PDB file of all heavy atoms in Angstrom:
ATOM      1  N   ASP J  14      -1.246  -3.682   3.842  1.00 97.00           N
ATOM      2  CA  ASP J  14      -0.479  -4.831   4.355  1.00 97.00           C
ATOM      3  C   ASP J  14       0.830  -4.943   3.630  1.00 97.00           C
ATOM      4  O   ASP J  14       1.846  -5.344   4.261  1.00 97.00           O
ATOM      5  CB  ASP J  14      -1.329  -6.090   4.184  1.00 97.00           C
ATOM      6  CG  ASP J  14      -2.550  -6.093   5.052  1.00 97.00           C
ATOM      7  OD1 ASP J  14      -2.660  -5.322   5.951  1.00 97.00           O
ATOM      8  OD2 ASP J  14      -3.415  -6.983   4.819  1.00 97.00           O
ATOM      9  N   LEU J  15       0.827  -4.664   2.304  1.00 97.00           N
ATOM     10  CA  LEU J  15       2.097  -4.848   1.472  1.00 97.00           C
ATOM     11  C   LEU J  15       3.103  -3.847   1.931  1.00 97.00           C
ATOM     12  O   LEU J  15       4.276  -4.161   2.161  1.00 97.00           O
ATOM     13  CB  LEU J  15       1.788  -4.670  -0.035  1.00 97.00           C
ATOM     14  CG  LEU J  15       3.000  -4.739  -0.875  1.00 97.00           C
ATOM     15  CD1 LEU J  15       3.776  -6.012  -0.769  1.00 97.00           C
ATOM     16  CD2 LEU J  15       2.581  -4.445  -2.332  1.00 97.00           C
ATOM     17  N   VAL J  16       2.735  -2.592   2.160  1.00 97.00           N
ATOM     18  CA  VAL J  16       3.617  -1.510   2.617  1.00 97.00           C
ATOM     19  C   VAL J  16       4.248  -1.918   3.923  1.00 97.00           C
ATOM     20  O   VAL J  16       5.381  -1.806   4.138  1.00 97.00           O
ATOM     21  CB  VAL J  16       2.950  -0.146   2.653  1.00 97.00           C
ATOM     22  CG1 VAL J  16       3.806   0.897   3.288  1.00 97.00           C
ATOM     23  CG2 VAL J  16       2.579   0.327   1.242  1.00 97.00           C
ATOM     24  N   ALA J  17       3.339  -2.391   4.849  1.00 97.00           N
ATOM     25  CA  ALA J  17       3.852  -2.844   6.172  1.00 97.00           C
ATOM     26  C   ALA J  17       4.813  -3.955   6.023  1.00 97.00           C
ATOM     27  O   ALA J  17       5.858  -3.984   6.739  1.00 97.00           O
ATOM     28  CB  ALA J  17       2.660  -3.226   7.021  1.00 97.00           C
ATOM     29  N   ALA J  18       4.539  -4.927   5.199  1.00 97.00           N
ATOM     30  CA  ALA J  18       5.417  -6.096   5.012  1.00 97.00           C
ATOM     31  C   ALA J  18       6.772  -5.743   4.438  1.00 97.00           C
ATOM     32  O   ALA J  18       7.854  -6.243   4.906  1.00 97.00           O
ATOM     33  CB  ALA J  18       4.770  -7.145   4.139  1.00 97.00           C
ATOM     34  N   ILE J  19       6.762  -4.797   3.502  1.00 97.00           N
ATOM     35  CA  ILE J  19       8.053  -4.347   2.915  1.00 97.00           C
ATOM     36  C   ILE J  19       8.873  -3.623   3.989  1.00 97.00           C
ATOM     37  O   ILE J  19      10.100  -3.821   4.096  1.00 97.00           O
ATOM     38  CB  ILE J  19       7.727  -3.391   1.688  1.00 97.00           C
ATOM     39  CG1 ILE J  19       7.096  -4.147   0.505  1.00 97.00           C
ATOM     40  CG2 ILE J  19       8.983  -2.605   1.251  1.00 97.00           C
ATOM     41  CD1 ILE J  19       6.558  -3.286  -0.585  1.00 97.00           C
ATOM     42  N   ARG J  20       8.283  -2.823   4.753  1.00 97.00           N
ATOM     43  CA  ARG J  20       9.009  -2.039   5.780  1.00 97.00           C
ATOM     44  C   ARG J  20       9.527  -3.022   6.898  1.00 97.00           C
ATOM     45  O   ARG J  20      10.514  -2.742   7.538  1.00 97.00           O
ATOM     46  CB  ARG J  20       8.181  -0.926   6.349  1.00 97.00           C
ATOM     47  CG  ARG J  20       8.061   0.206   5.384  1.00 97.00           C
ATOM     48  CD  ARG J  20       7.291   1.331   5.871  1.00 97.00           C
ATOM     49  NE  ARG J  20       7.428   2.595   5.072  1.00 97.00           N
ATOM     50  CZ  ARG J  20       6.562   3.571   5.044  1.00 97.00           C
ATOM     51  NH1 ARG J  20       5.443   3.442   5.783  1.00 97.00           N
ATOM     52  NH2 ARG J  20       6.865   4.596   4.340  1.00 97.00           N
ATOM     53  N   ASP J  21       8.708  -4.054   7.173  1.00 97.00           N
ATOM     54  CA  ASP J  21       9.099  -4.996   8.130  1.00 97.00           C
ATOM     55  C   ASP J  21      10.344  -5.769   7.687  1.00 97.00           C
ATOM     56  O   ASP J  21      11.276  -6.027   8.452  1.00 97.00           O
ATOM     57  CB  ASP J  21       7.976  -5.974   8.352  1.00 97.00           C
ATOM     58  CG  ASP J  21       8.268  -6.976   9.467  1.00 97.00           C
ATOM     59  OD1 ASP J  21       8.655  -6.518  10.555  1.00 97.00           O
ATOM     60  OD2 ASP J  21       8.159  -8.183   9.232  1.00 97.00           O
ATOM     61  N   LYS J  22      10.351  -6.134   6.369  1.00 97.00           N
ATOM     62  CA  LYS J  22      11.506  -6.953   5.881  1.00 97.00           C
ATOM     63  C   LYS J  22      12.722  -6.087   5.634  1.00 97.00           C
ATOM     64  O   LYS J  22      13.912  -6.574   5.800  1.00 97.00           O
ATOM     65  CB  LYS J  22      11.085  -7.610   4.592  1.00 97.00           C
ATOM     66  CG  LYS J  22      10.229  -8.829   4.810  1.00 97.00           C
ATOM     67  CD  LYS J  22      10.446  -9.818   3.640  1.00 97.00           C
ATOM     68  CE  LYS J  22       9.819 -11.169   3.976  1.00 97.00           C
ATOM     69  NZ  LYS J  22      10.492 -12.309   3.356  1.00 97.00           N
ATOM     70  N   VAL J  23      12.582  -4.814   5.269  1.00 97.00           N
ATOM     71  CA  VAL J  23      13.716  -3.897   4.987  1.00 97.00           C
ATOM     72  C   VAL J  23      13.541  -2.633   5.773  1.00 97.00           C
ATOM     73  O   VAL J  23      13.015  -1.618   5.260  1.00 97.00           O
ATOM     74  CB  VAL J  23      13.902  -3.589   3.489  1.00 97.00           C
ATOM     75  CG1 VAL J  23      15.163  -2.858   3.223  1.00 97.00           C
ATOM     76  CG2 VAL J  23      13.903  -4.872   2.678  1.00 97.00           C
ATOM     77  N   PRO J  24      13.906  -2.613   7.011  1.00 96.00           N
ATOM     78  CA  PRO J  24      13.732  -1.422   7.896  1.00 96.00           C
ATOM     79  C   PRO J  24      14.498  -0.270   7.239  1.00 96.00           C
ATOM     80  O   PRO J  24      15.647  -0.434   6.793  1.00 96.00           O
ATOM     81  CB  PRO J  24      14.262  -1.830   9.220  1.00 96.00           C
ATOM     82  CG  PRO J  24      14.282  -3.299   9.210  1.00 96.00           C
ATOM     83  CD  PRO J  24      14.458  -3.777   7.840  1.00 96.00           C
ATOM     84  N   GLY J  25      13.900   0.875   7.240  1.00 95.00           N
ATOM     85  CA  GLY J  25      14.561   2.087   6.663  1.00 95.00           C
ATOM     86  C   GLY J  25      14.474   2.256   5.158  1.00 95.00           C
ATOM     87  O   GLY J  25      15.033   3.182   4.657  1.00 95.00           O
ATOM     88  N   ILE J  26      13.745   1.348   4.487  1.00 97.00           N
ATOM     89  CA  ILE J  26      13.654   1.423   3.033  1.00 97.00           C
ATOM     90  C   ILE J  26      12.928   2.685   2.669  1.00 97.00           C
ATOM     91  O   ILE J  26      11.997   3.133   3.391  1.00 97.00           O
ATOM     92  CB  ILE J  26      12.877   0.171   2.491  1.00 97.00           C
ATOM     93  CG1 ILE J  26      13.030   0.122   0.955  1.00 97.00           C
ATOM     94  CG2 ILE J  26      11.410   0.155   2.960  1.00 97.00           C
ATOM     95  CD1 ILE J  26      12.463  -1.145   0.328  1.00 97.00           C
ATOM     96  N   ALA J  27      13.315   3.323   1.565  1.00 97.00           N
ATOM     97  CA  ALA J  27      12.625   4.503   0.988  1.00 97.00           C
ATOM     98  C   ALA J  27      11.629   3.997  -0.042  1.00 97.00           C
ATOM     99  O   ALA J  27      12.055   3.331  -0.985  1.00 97.00           O
ATOM    100  CB  ALA J  27      13.629   5.455   0.397  1.00 97.00           C
ATOM    101  N   LEU J  28      10.392   4.383   0.156  1.00 97.00           N
ATOM    102  CA  LEU J  28       9.331   3.918  -0.815  1.00 97.00           C
ATOM    103  C   LEU J  28       8.875   5.099  -1.633  1.00 97.00           C
ATOM    104  O   LEU J  28       8.453   6.171  -1.096  1.00 97.00           O
ATOM    105  CB  LEU J  28       8.095   3.326  -0.023  1.00 97.00           C
ATOM    106  CG  LEU J  28       8.345   1.966   0.577  1.00 97.00           C
ATOM    107  CD1 LEU J  28       7.133   1.554   1.396  1.00 97.00           C
ATOM    108  CD2 LEU J  28       8.609   0.928  -0.491  1.00 97.00           C
ATOM    109  N   ARG J  29       8.931   4.934  -2.948  1.00 97.00           N
ATOM    110  CA  ARG J  29       8.380   5.951  -3.893  1.00 97.00           C
ATOM    111  C   ARG J  29       7.198   5.419  -4.564  1.00 97.00           C
ATOM    112  O   ARG J  29       7.107   4.163  -4.907  1.00 97.00           O
ATOM    113  CB  ARG J  29       9.494   6.297  -4.899  1.00 97.00           C
ATOM    114  CG  ARG J  29       8.980   7.171  -6.002  1.00 97.00           C
ATOM    115  CD  ARG J  29      10.051   7.591  -7.052  1.00 97.00           C
ATOM    116  NE  ARG J  29       9.313   8.573  -7.936  1.00 97.00           N
ATOM    117  CZ  ARG J  29       9.122   9.831  -7.651  1.00 97.00           C
ATOM    118  NH1 ARG J  29       9.590  10.341  -6.463  1.00 97.00           N
ATOM    119  NH2 ARG J  29       8.461  10.598  -8.393  1.00 97.00           N
ATOM    120  N   SER J  30       6.179   6.227  -4.877  1.00 97.00           N
ATOM    121  CA  SER J  30       4.988   5.823  -5.589  1.00 97.00           C
ATOM    122  C   SER J  30       4.471   6.884  -6.556  1.00 97.00           C
ATOM    123  O   SER J  30       4.918   8.072  -6.391  1.00 97.00           O
ATOM    124  CB  SER J  30       3.934   5.340  -4.635  1.00 97.00           C
ATOM    125  OG  SER J  30       2.894   4.666  -5.367  1.00 97.00           O
ATOM    126  N   THR J  31       3.737   6.458  -7.487  1.00 96.00           N
ATOM    127  CA  THR J  31       2.991   7.428  -8.311  1.00 96.00           C
ATOM    128  C   THR J  31       1.498   7.184  -8.109  1.00 96.00           C
ATOM    129  O   THR J  31       1.071   6.101  -7.938  1.00 96.00           O
ATOM    130  CB  THR J  31       3.337   7.307  -9.806  1.00 96.00           C
ATOM    131  OG1 THR J  31       3.321   5.937 -10.188  1.00 96.00           O
ATOM    132  CG2 THR J  31       4.743   7.854 -10.074  1.00 96.00           C
ATOM    133  N   LEU J  32       0.723   8.285  -8.243  1.00 97.00           N
ATOM    134  CA  LEU J  32      -0.703   8.232  -8.063  1.00 97.00           C
ATOM    135  C   LEU J  32      -1.378   8.953  -9.241  1.00 97.00           C
ATOM    136  O   LEU J  32      -0.800   9.800  -9.879  1.00 97.00           O
ATOM    137  CB  LEU J  32      -1.087   8.901  -6.744  1.00 97.00           C
ATOM    138  CG  LEU J  32      -0.369   8.405  -5.446  1.00 97.00           C
ATOM    139  CD1 LEU J  32      -0.619   9.352  -4.277  1.00 97.00           C
ATOM    140  CD2 LEU J  32      -0.843   7.018  -5.144  1.00 97.00           C
ATOM    141  N   ILE J  33      -2.670   8.642  -9.439  1.00 96.00           N
ATOM    142  CA  ILE J  33      -3.425   9.337 -10.482  1.00 96.00           C
ATOM    143  C   ILE J  33      -4.605  10.042  -9.800  1.00 96.00           C
ATOM    144  O   ILE J  33      -5.315   9.493  -8.984  1.00 96.00           O
ATOM    145  CB  ILE J  33      -4.055   8.280 -11.502  1.00 96.00           C
ATOM    146  CG1 ILE J  33      -2.812   7.665 -12.298  1.00 96.00           C
ATOM    147  CG2 ILE J  33      -4.993   8.966 -12.493  1.00 96.00           C
ATOM    148  CD1 ILE J  33      -3.251   6.514 -13.195  1.00 96.00           C
ATOM    149  N   ALA J  34      -4.839  11.328 -10.199  1.00 97.00           N
ATOM    150  CA  ALA J  34      -5.943  12.095  -9.714  1.00 97.00           C
ATOM    151  C   ALA J  34      -6.897  12.319 -10.870  1.00 97.00           C
ATOM    152  O   ALA J  34      -6.448  12.593 -12.036  1.00 97.00           O
ATOM    153  CB  ALA J  34      -5.444  13.434  -9.176  1.00 97.00           C
ATOM    154  N   GLY J  35      -8.194  12.196 -10.602  1.00 97.00           N
ATOM    155  CA  GLY J  35      -9.278  12.598 -11.568  1.00 97.00           C
ATOM    156  C   GLY J  35      -9.620  11.480 -12.490  1.00 97.00           C
ATOM    157  O   GLY J  35     -10.171  11.719 -13.586  1.00 97.00           O
ATOM    158  N   PHE J  36      -9.380  10.197 -12.086  1.00 96.00           N
ATOM    159  CA  PHE J  36      -9.881   9.038 -12.903  1.00 96.00           C
ATOM    160  C   PHE J  36     -11.403   9.089 -13.014  1.00 96.00           C
ATOM    161  O   PHE J  36     -12.042   9.567 -11.965  1.00 96.00           O
ATOM    162  CB  PHE J  36      -9.409   7.768 -12.288  1.00 96.00           C
ATOM    163  CG  PHE J  36      -9.656   6.517 -13.157  1.00 96.00           C
ATOM    164  CD1 PHE J  36      -8.811   6.116 -14.153  1.00 96.00           C
ATOM    165  CD2 PHE J  36     -10.809   5.773 -12.906  1.00 96.00           C
ATOM    166  CE1 PHE J  36      -9.034   4.978 -14.946  1.00 96.00           C
ATOM    167  CE2 PHE J  36     -11.065   4.631 -13.720  1.00 96.00           C
ATOM    168  CZ  PHE J  36     -10.172   4.252 -14.714  1.00 96.00           C
ATOM    169  N   PRO J  37     -12.002   8.673 -14.110  1.00 96.00           N
ATOM    170  CA  PRO J  37     -13.453   8.709 -14.229  1.00 96.00           C
ATOM    171  C   PRO J  37     -14.199   8.100 -13.070  1.00 96.00           C
ATOM    172  O   PRO J  37     -13.834   6.954 -12.623  1.00 96.00           O
ATOM    173  CB  PRO J  37     -13.783   7.893 -15.511  1.00 96.00           C
ATOM    174  CG  PRO J  37     -12.493   8.186 -16.343  1.00 96.00           C
ATOM    175  CD  PRO J  37     -11.388   8.210 -15.355  1.00 96.00           C
ATOM    176  N   GLY J  38     -15.134   8.813 -12.485  1.00 96.00           N
ATOM    177  CA  GLY J  38     -15.911   8.350 -11.340  1.00 96.00           C
ATOM    178  C   GLY J  38     -15.257   8.632  -9.960  1.00 96.00           C
ATOM    179  O   GLY J  38     -15.829   8.232  -8.935  1.00 96.00           O
ATOM    180  N   GLU J  39     -14.093   9.203  -9.935  1.00 97.00           N
ATOM    181  CA  GLU J  39     -13.413   9.525  -8.701  1.00 97.00           C
ATOM    182  C   GLU J  39     -14.314  10.527  -7.921  1.00 97.00           C
ATOM    183  O   GLU J  39     -14.726  11.555  -8.416  1.00 97.00           O
ATOM    184  CB  GLU J  39     -12.025  10.114  -8.884  1.00 97.00           C
ATOM    185  CG  GLU J  39     -11.273  10.302  -7.550  1.00 97.00           C
ATOM    186  CD  GLU J  39      -9.949  10.976  -7.788  1.00 97.00           C
ATOM    187  OE1 GLU J  39      -9.914  12.159  -8.331  1.00 97.00           O
ATOM    188  OE2 GLU J  39      -8.907  10.385  -7.480  1.00 97.00           O
ATOM    189  N   THR J  40     -14.570  10.174  -6.635  1.00 97.00           N
ATOM    190  CA  THR J  40     -15.437  10.983  -5.745  1.00 97.00           C
ATOM    191  C   THR J  40     -14.566  11.761  -4.801  1.00 97.00           C
ATOM    192  O   THR J  40     -13.384  11.469  -4.559  1.00 97.00           O
ATOM    193  CB  THR J  40     -16.427  10.218  -5.033  1.00 97.00           C
ATOM    194  OG1 THR J  40     -15.705   9.319  -4.131  1.00 97.00           O
ATOM    195  CG2 THR J  40     -17.264   9.335  -5.978  1.00 97.00           C
ATOM    196  N   ARG J  41     -15.206  12.675  -4.040  1.00 97.00           N
ATOM    197  CA  ARG J  41     -14.514  13.410  -2.955  1.00 97.00           C
ATOM    198  C   ARG J  41     -14.061  12.411  -1.893  1.00 97.00           C
ATOM    199  O   ARG J  41     -12.939  12.493  -1.378  1.00 97.00           O
ATOM    200  CB  ARG J  41     -15.385  14.425  -2.298  1.00 97.00           C
ATOM    201  CG  ARG J  41     -15.540  15.769  -2.920  1.00 97.00           C
ATOM    202  CD  ARG J  41     -14.298  16.539  -3.254  1.00 97.00           C
ATOM    203  NE  ARG J  41     -13.286  16.513  -2.154  1.00 97.00           N
ATOM    204  CZ  ARG J  41     -12.041  16.955  -2.326  1.00 97.00           C
ATOM    205  NH1 ARG J  41     -11.619  17.373  -3.479  1.00 97.00           N
ATOM    206  NH2 ARG J  41     -11.194  16.879  -1.311  1.00 97.00           N
ATOM    207  N   ASP J  42     -14.813  11.377  -1.673  1.00 97.00           N
ATOM    208  CA  ASP J  42     -14.549  10.394  -0.707  1.00 97.00           C
ATOM    209  C   ASP J  42     -13.250   9.645  -1.102  1.00 97.00           C
ATOM    210  O   ASP J  42     -12.370   9.347  -0.294  1.00 97.00           O
ATOM    211  CB  ASP J  42     -15.675   9.375  -0.493  1.00 97.00           C
ATOM    212  CG  ASP J  42     -15.366   8.377   0.607  1.00 97.00           C
ATOM    213  OD1 ASP J  42     -15.019   8.829   1.743  1.00 97.00           O
ATOM    214  OD2 ASP J  42     -15.487   7.168   0.339  1.00 97.00           O
ATOM    215  N   ASP J  43     -13.106   9.307  -2.428  1.00 97.00           N
ATOM    216  CA  ASP J  43     -11.916   8.645  -2.896  1.00 97.00           C
ATOM    217  C   ASP J  43     -10.654   9.512  -2.705  1.00 97.00           C
ATOM    218  O   ASP J  43      -9.617   8.973  -2.294  1.00 97.00           O
ATOM    219  CB  ASP J  43     -12.057   8.388  -4.406  1.00 97.00           C
ATOM    220  CG  ASP J  43     -13.171   7.358  -4.720  1.00 97.00           C
ATOM    221  OD1 ASP J  43     -13.451   6.475  -3.902  1.00 97.00           O
ATOM    222  OD2 ASP J  43     -13.824   7.541  -5.778  1.00 97.00           O
ATOM    223  N   VAL J  44     -10.791  10.826  -2.893  1.00 97.00           N
ATOM    224  CA  VAL J  44      -9.685  11.713  -2.757  1.00 97.00           C
ATOM    225  C   VAL J  44      -9.321  11.764  -1.194  1.00 97.00           C
ATOM    226  O   VAL J  44      -8.108  11.746  -0.823  1.00 97.00           O
ATOM    227  CB  VAL J  44     -10.018  13.109  -3.247  1.00 97.00           C
ATOM    228  CG1 VAL J  44      -8.862  14.164  -2.944  1.00 97.00           C
ATOM    229  CG2 VAL J  44     -10.297  13.139  -4.727  1.00 97.00           C
ATOM    230  N   GLU J  45     -10.313  11.801  -0.363  1.00 97.00           N
ATOM    231  CA  GLU J  45     -10.000  11.829   1.102  1.00 97.00           C
ATOM    232  C   GLU J  45      -9.339  10.541   1.569  1.00 97.00           C
ATOM    233  O   GLU J  45      -8.466  10.616   2.388  1.00 97.00           O
ATOM    234  CB  GLU J  45     -11.379  12.093   1.844  1.00 97.00           C
ATOM    235  CG  GLU J  45     -11.935  13.471   1.661  1.00 97.00           C
ATOM    236  CD  GLU J  45     -10.995  14.659   1.964  1.00 97.00           C
ATOM    237  OE1 GLU J  45     -10.254  14.539   2.978  1.00 97.00           O
ATOM    238  OE2 GLU J  45     -10.970  15.583   1.197  1.00 97.00           O
ATOM    239  N   GLN J  46      -9.770   9.474   1.006  1.00 98.00           N
ATOM    240  CA  GLN J  46      -9.125   8.174   1.343  1.00 98.00           C
ATOM    241  C   GLN J  46      -7.658   8.147   0.960  1.00 98.00           C
ATOM    242  O   GLN J  46      -6.775   7.639   1.674  1.00 98.00           O
ATOM    243  CB  GLN J  46      -9.833   6.998   0.616  1.00 98.00           C
ATOM    244  CG  GLN J  46     -11.126   6.577   1.277  1.00 98.00           C
ATOM    245  CD  GLN J  46     -11.617   5.269   0.675  1.00 98.00           C
ATOM    246  OE1 GLN J  46     -10.941   4.253   0.639  1.00 98.00           O
ATOM    247  NE2 GLN J  46     -12.893   5.312   0.140  1.00 98.00           N
ATOM    248  N   LEU J  47      -7.382   8.709  -0.155  1.00 97.00           N
ATOM    249  CA  LEU J  47      -5.969   8.803  -0.690  1.00 97.00           C
ATOM    250  C   LEU J  47      -5.111   9.660   0.197  1.00 97.00           C
ATOM    251  O   LEU J  47      -4.003   9.314   0.529  1.00 97.00           O
ATOM    252  CB  LEU J  47      -5.962   9.304  -2.163  1.00 97.00           C
ATOM    253  CG  LEU J  47      -4.720   9.184  -2.940  1.00 97.00           C
ATOM    254  CD1 LEU J  47      -4.154   7.791  -2.807  1.00 97.00           C
ATOM    255  CD2 LEU J  47      -4.987   9.506  -4.444  1.00 97.00           C
ATOM    256  N   LYS J  48      -5.679  10.784   0.635  1.00 97.00           N
ATOM    257  CA  LYS J  48      -4.932  11.703   1.531  1.00 97.00           C
ATOM    258  C   LYS J  48      -4.748  10.984   2.908  1.00 97.00           C
ATOM    259  O   LYS J  48      -3.623  11.131   3.448  1.00 97.00           O
ATOM    260  CB  LYS J  48      -5.749  13.048   1.760  1.00 97.00           C
ATOM    261  CG  LYS J  48      -5.638  13.975   0.509  1.00 97.00           C
ATOM    262  CD  LYS J  48      -6.791  14.929   0.425  1.00 97.00           C
ATOM    263  CE  LYS J  48      -6.824  15.913   1.585  1.00 97.00           C
ATOM    264  NZ  LYS J  48      -7.919  16.867   1.498  1.00 97.00           N
ATOM    265  N   LYS J  49      -5.746  10.276   3.361  1.00 98.00           N
ATOM    266  CA  LYS J  49      -5.580   9.557   4.642  1.00 98.00           C
ATOM    267  C   LYS J  49      -4.496   8.480   4.551  1.00 98.00           C
ATOM    268  O   LYS J  49      -3.679   8.324   5.477  1.00 98.00           O
ATOM    269  CB  LYS J  49      -6.934   8.976   5.049  1.00 98.00           C
ATOM    270  CG  LYS J  49      -6.820   8.272   6.407  1.00 98.00           C
ATOM    271  CD  LYS J  49      -8.187   7.692   6.884  1.00 98.00           C
ATOM    272  CE  LYS J  49      -8.004   7.196   8.351  1.00 98.00           C
ATOM    273  NZ  LYS J  49      -7.048   6.063   8.536  1.00 98.00           N
ATOM    274  N   PHE J  50      -4.532   7.779   3.442  1.00 98.00           N
ATOM    275  CA  PHE J  50      -3.521   6.707   3.185  1.00 98.00           C
ATOM    276  C   PHE J  50      -2.099   7.342   3.287  1.00 98.00           C
ATOM    277  O   PHE J  50      -1.184   6.803   3.923  1.00 98.00           O
ATOM    278  CB  PHE J  50      -3.735   6.141   1.800  1.00 98.00           C
ATOM    279  CG  PHE J  50      -2.606   5.234   1.307  1.00 98.00           C
ATOM    280  CD1 PHE J  50      -2.414   4.013   1.939  1.00 98.00           C
ATOM    281  CD2 PHE J  50      -1.754   5.673   0.314  1.00 98.00           C
ATOM    282  CE1 PHE J  50      -1.375   3.162   1.505  1.00 98.00           C
ATOM    283  CE2 PHE J  50      -0.722   4.822  -0.122  1.00 98.00           C
ATOM    284  CZ  PHE J  50      -0.521   3.551   0.492  1.00 98.00           C
ATOM    285  N   LEU J  51      -1.883   8.534   2.668  1.00 98.00           N
ATOM    286  CA  LEU J  51      -0.567   9.126   2.685  1.00 98.00           C
ATOM    287  C   LEU J  51      -0.188   9.509   4.085  1.00 98.00           C
ATOM    288  O   LEU J  51       0.988   9.336   4.564  1.00 98.00           O
ATOM    289  CB  LEU J  51      -0.513  10.363   1.791  1.00 98.00           C
ATOM    290  CG  LEU J  51      -0.566  10.100   0.280  1.00 98.00           C
ATOM    291  CD1 LEU J  51      -0.586  11.453  -0.549  1.00 98.00           C
ATOM    292  CD2 LEU J  51       0.510   9.175  -0.219  1.00 98.00           C
ATOM    293  N   GLU J  52      -1.150  10.051   4.877  1.00 97.00           N
ATOM    294  CA  GLU J  52      -0.914  10.387   6.259  1.00 97.00           C
ATOM    295  C   GLU J  52      -0.609   9.056   7.161  1.00 97.00           C
ATOM    296  O   GLU J  52       0.212   9.062   8.027  1.00 97.00           O
ATOM    297  CB  GLU J  52      -2.102  11.153   6.850  1.00 97.00           C
ATOM    298  CG  GLU J  52      -2.147  12.600   6.285  1.00 97.00           C
ATOM    299  CD  GLU J  52      -3.527  13.251   6.563  1.00 97.00           C
ATOM    300  OE1 GLU J  52      -4.497  12.548   6.990  1.00 97.00           O
ATOM    301  OE2 GLU J  52      -3.606  14.418   6.314  1.00 97.00           O
ATOM    302  N   ASP J  53      -1.332   8.018   6.798  1.00 98.00           N
ATOM    303  CA  ASP J  53      -1.118   6.764   7.563  1.00 98.00           C
ATOM    304  C   ASP J  53       0.220   6.146   7.281  1.00 98.00           C
ATOM    305  O   ASP J  53       0.940   5.718   8.233  1.00 98.00           O
ATOM    306  CB  ASP J  53      -2.191   5.749   7.122  1.00 98.00           C
ATOM    307  CG  ASP J  53      -3.615   6.068   7.705  1.00 98.00           C
ATOM    308  OD1 ASP J  53      -3.693   6.974   8.585  1.00 98.00           O
ATOM    309  OD2 ASP J  53      -4.585   5.532   7.160  1.00 98.00           O
ATOM    310  N   VAL J  54       0.591   5.980   6.046  1.00 97.00           N
ATOM    311  CA  VAL J  54       1.785   5.206   5.659  1.00 97.00           C
ATOM    312  C   VAL J  54       3.006   6.027   5.472  1.00 97.00           C
ATOM    313  O   VAL J  54       4.135   5.509   5.471  1.00 97.00           O
ATOM    314  CB  VAL J  54       1.567   4.237   4.454  1.00 97.00           C
ATOM    315  CG1 VAL J  54       0.430   3.318   4.715  1.00 97.00           C
ATOM    316  CG2 VAL J  54       1.400   5.023   3.239  1.00 97.00           C
TER     317      VAL J  54
END
């Protein structure tokens, strides 16, 4: 929702982020969710 709101308020904004891979307890499902998120937004 936040990413959508930012883009709605500032059309054309460039969004940069950092992510962490391999945090304790991270599962394959968590990794897949992260990849889907990148594809979605």
Side-chain angles (χ1 to χ4, degrees):
D14 293 347
L15 176 59
V16 171
I19 291 169
R20 285 180 166 156
D21 182 53
K22 284 209 168 211
V23 187
I26 190 171
L28 287 176
R29 172 177 185 78
S30 192
T31 47
L32 306 169
I33 294 174
F36 187 85
E39 185 184 60
T40 63
R41 276 307 316 169
D42 184 52
D43 296 325
V44 176
E45 292 307 318
Q46 280 190 57
L47 195 45
K48 284 157 65 178
K49 183 177 184 304
F50 169 71
L51 292 178
E52 284 164 352
D53 288 345
V54 303

